[in-house]
Amino acid sequence: MEKWKQSRKELVDLFGSVRDAWIADDLHGWLDANGIYAGLPDDLAAAQKQAELYIVTTKQARFTEALMKDKAKVDFSADRIFSTAETGQPKSEVLQQLEQKHPGTSYHFVEDKLGTLDKVCKIKELDHWTLYLVDWGYNTKQERERASKNPRVHVVNHEQLSKAINSS
């Protein structure tokens, strides 16, 4: 960023404007390029019926909202989507804020990046969160093997995640 004399915000805004232009020109093409994992829409809908559900994402919120509405067919209001790209906050801070908003309940965090879960594991205040690393998305077999050795992290496939959601 220093080399091109660009701030993080400028780059996030630029990336967002490129996505906005693509969406304006070809919404269906953009949606098709951003697949939703099989079965996930049903899991999200089931989870929404049982608990306070939030999405904490590195995508900009408006794009996540569009994917949920148009691709997953799940109505997810903008106030339940937290974009770390927009705020610059780590996901762990968002989790702490959500816990303050909803004290005294059980907390579950589903993630596809082991590095994010490693950071959450280092924060004592988040020790009571149940952490899941899904076996799809942005992780490798080696990362899943490493995660399986961490007693705080449950490595799950889609079927196991669906079962956990539906048994809560």
Side-chain angles (χ1 to χ4, degrees), residues 24-78:
D25 290 343
D26 182 16
L27 174 63
H28 296 293
W30 181 79
L31 290 169
D32 287 343
N34 290 276
I36 300 291
Y37 293 105
L40 198 54
D42 293 336
D43 293 337
L44 290 171
Q48 278 183 319
K49 291 177 185 172
Q50 300 174 38
E52 299 288 336
L53 187 65
Y54 294 87
I55 294 175
V56 183
T57 181
T58 55
K59 281 187 174 52
Q60 289 166 297
R62 66 186 182 275
F63 303 121
T64 301
E65 188 177 7
L67 287 169
M68 289 297 102
K69 179 182 175 193
D70 296 319
K71 192 77 170 182
K73 305 294 187 220
V74 176
D75 186 28
F76 223 98
S77 64

